[in-house]
Amino acid sequence: MTALKVLVVEDSPTMRQLIVFALKRIRNFQIVEANDGVDGLKKLNSEKFDLILTDINMPIMDGLKLVSMVRNDPNYKTVPIIIITTEGAAEDRDRALALGANAYITKPIQTTQILDTVRGLLNF
Amino acid sequence: MSQSEDRGGPNRADDFLQLFKKGAEFTQDLLKENERLRFRIVKLEDALKEHEQVGGAPPSGDAARLLRKIEELEQEKEEILGRIRRVEEENQDFAHRYVEIEEENNMLANLYIASYQLHSTLDFKEVTQIILEIVINLIGAEEFGLLLLDEKTNRLEPVACEGLELSQLPSVNVGVGIIGTSVKTGENYFIESMEGYERDFLKPMVCIPLKIKEHVIGVIAIYKLLTQKEKFTSVDYELFSLLAGHAATAVFSSRLYSESERKLSTIQGFIDLLTK
């Protein structure tokens, strides 16, 4: 079975490790990490991913800009995008979903919620 | 760690799933057996009716034996139904335990990452940054500060914060106010009710003293939680305990390391001067 590629875009190394560690529970995932939106875009251009998880508040390029750019790329029109953020306001959620994110998870991080969302989007 | 995770958590989950499967298979068998017995009862009842219609006489011989058999089968059916109920209850119990263990597993994984990150560096700034990240991402605090004890003055001085300006945070004498008392006693402080709390830098909603054994080296004072975080959970209290210990040792060792580095470079400078 081919491994699914997942891109985790998050500026906080601790948070990134928490997400990666959680995702490793779902076998057959190849996880690639990016520090910010620009780094994420570079990696998206160099290889094909099956799922993207991104934070919103990041230096250089934020998560919403990244979502917008990803959705404008014909290669990534349908790839599932999950936002994981501290921004809990309804308008932030609506904005992210309007830009093309598939799911919006708020911090503090809850592993079960992340895993359920990933499984749901990838039909596991 | 990921390997041990693969061996530990998922295997446990697999064991539970196996148990559920066995329980489901057992239930299926029992249901089939129940169906078979019901069918036999119906057949026997029909045979008895036929016999009564033909003979009309009170049951005797074969008929009496058949009636006894029916009674036995009825009892057996009741037992089987009872066992099915017990198996279903056990299944539910296993399902609840599975969820609990899964949550515990997640919490331990998060605690592991947090402590691993805290001890991954000896750079003081990095350590304080990691503490901030843990408090934001795992506890869900929006406004908080880290104050460390200056042992010369016996005062707590703010060294890092999130959602606030460092200059907003007060210096606090040990034993004075909520923060100072928490440091003096070494006990966590939690506000009784978060409802209606208004930020007061001397009265945080949560105070977590950073301790190495009984020696307090500083405190984390939380003033506001993220909007979506309404209350603390049991996981949070575990995290607070972790922070109290691991953050304290990480801060302490990084400070010691910085001091020794500074002293080393001073001594090296002297040696260079003397040997030139």
Side-chain angles (χ1 to χ4, degrees):
Chain A
M1 199 158 58
T2 324
L4 293 176
K5 272 194 182 174
V6 183
L7 180 66
V8 177
V9 190
E10 165 70 61
D11 60 320
S12 151
T14 306
M15 186 62 195
R16 217 164 48 229
Q17 286 308 306
L18 287 165
I19 297 171
V20 169
F21 203 81
L23 291 175
K24 278 182 180 170
R25 290 180 189 203
I26 303 177
R27 289 160 202 227
N28 209 30
F29 266 175
Q30 190 187 331
I31 303 162
V32 176
E33 299 172 38
N35 299 320
D36 55 61
V38 172
D39 191 20
L41 270 184
K42 268 186 206 163
K43 282 169 178 158
L44 284 164
N45 288 329
S46 63
E47 50 191 319
K48 178 85 178 145
F49 288 91
D50 302 290
L51 175 70
I52 301 167
L53 290 98
T54 180
D55 185 15
I56 289 185
N57 299 321
M58 291 183 290
I60 308 175
M61 183 195 284
D62 70 29
L64 293 179
K65 179 85 178 157
L66 175 71
V67 172
S68 163
M69 292 186 79
V70 166
R71 282 295 178 244
N72 285 325
D73 182 336
N75 290 324
Y76 287 108
K77 275 231 176 292
T78 57
V79 67
I81 303 176
I82 300 173
I83 302 264
I84 304 178
T85 178
T86 51
E87 306 299 330
E91 53 267 32
D92 293 316
R93 176 187 295 267
D94 294 345
R95 198 168 154 224
L97 296 177
L99 282 169
N102 299 77
Y104 193 91
I105 297 173
T106 51
K107 295 175 188 176
I109 186 170
Q110 284 170 15
T111 311
T112 315
Q113 195 186 5
I114 294 177
L115 295 183
D116 288 347
T117 309
V118 168
R119 286 190 183 112
L121 286 171
L122 296 176
N123 298 318
F124 279 3
Chain B
M1 175 65 192
S2 67
Q3 282 177 348
S4 69
E5 179 65 22
D6 283 347
R7 284 188 212 116
N11 279 348
R12 245 185 188 175
D14 288 346
D15 289 345
F16 275 108
L17 283 173
Q18 284 298 324
L19 265 175
F20 296 151
K21 276 185 187 166
K22 278 185 188 162
E25 281 168 12
F26 183 57
T27 309
Q28 285 294 329
D29 290 345
L30 291 177
L31 285 170
K32 275 183 194 165
E33 181 64 13
N34 187 27
E35 191 59 33
R36 191 183 65 78
L37 291 172
R38 275 175 191 273
F39 183 68
R40 280 192 67 185
I41 288 169
V42 170
K43 273 181 76 177
L44 287 170
E45 280 175 346
D46 286 348
L48 187 63
K49 270 182 199 164
E50 260 178 43
H51 178 79
E52 280 173 0
Q53 278 168 4
V54 174
S60 63
D62 283 351
R65 207 170 53 247
L66 286 172
L67 278 173
R68 276 199 304 276
K69 188 73 182 168
I70 288 170
E71 263 178 43
E72 283 170 20
L73 290 172
E74 282 287 351
Q75 277 181 359
E76 208 177 318
K77 187 187 85 176
E78 285 306 316
E79 277 175 28
I80 288 168
L81 286 173
R83 284 167 70 185
I84 290 173
R85 275 193 294 273
R86 282 197 297 276
V87 168
E88 280 174 352
E89 279 167 15
E90 273 179 23
N91 269 354
Q92 277 190 344
D93 187 41
F94 279 131
H96 286 307
R97 283 174 62 189
Y98 176 78
V99 171
E100 279 174 16
I101 289 170
E102 187 68 10
E103 279 174 8
E104 187 80 9
N105 205 10
N106 291 338
M107 187 194 77
L108 288 173
N110 288 348
L111 292 182
Y112 167 76
I113 296 287
S115 63
Y116 179 85
Q117 290 290 323
L118 275 171
H119 297 290
S120 65
T121 177
L122 282 170
D123 184 285
F124 178 71
K125 273 189 181 173
E126 280 181 25
V127 168
T128 54
Q129 185 56 36
I130 291 166
I131 293 172
L132 298 187
E133 286 178 9
I134 291 170
V135 178
I136 300 167
N137 295 310
L138 286 180
I139 290 170
E142 190 173 341
E143 291 177 357
F144 59 95
L146 171 64
L147 294 88
L148 293 181
L149 182 65
D150 183 337
E151 295 199 342
K152 285 177 193 160
T153 60
N154 210 29
R155 279 175 74 83
L156 292 149
E157 302 291 347
V159 293
C161 64
E162 180 67 33
L164 308 162
E165 291 295 324
L166 201 57
S167 56
Q168 288 179 285
L169 290 171
S171 298
V172 181
N173 283 321
V174 173
V176 176
I178 289 171
I179 300 173
T181 307
S182 180
V183 168
K184 190 178 179 185
T185 59
E187 285 175 11
N188 294 349
Y189 165 82
F190 299 96
I191 198 166
E192 280 179 20
S193 168
M194 288 188 200
E195 251 177 66
Y197 171 82
E198 282 185 26
R199 191 179 67 193
D200 178 340
F201 290 115
L202 291 170
K203 294 177 184 170
M205 56 167 63
V206 176
C207 234
I208 309 295
L210 308 179
K211 293 190 289 186
I212 300 172
K213 288 197 175 172
E214 295 312 309
H215 180 63
V216 179
I217 65 147
V219 68
I220 293 170
I222 300 177
Y223 298 98
K224 189 182 174 190
L225 299 179
L226 292 169
T227 326
Q228 60 271 23
K229 177 89 177 183
E230 288 167 356
K231 58 178 182 179
F232 291 120
T233 62
S234 55
V235 178
D236 296 324
Y237 295 110
E238 296 271 356
L239 265 168
F240 287 136
S241 303
L242 170 114
L243 273 177
H246 286 262
T249 50
V251 166
F252 190 75
S253 46
S254 64
R255 271 180 144 185
L256 276 183
Y257 183 75
S258 305
E259 276 175 31
S260 64
E261 281 287 290
R262 204 172 53 243
K263 281 177 185 168
L264 182 69
S265 76
T266 310
I267 293 166
Q268 192 64 53
F270 273 122
I271 291 170
D272 288 347
L273 271 174
L274 290 169
T275 52
K276 270 181 187 173

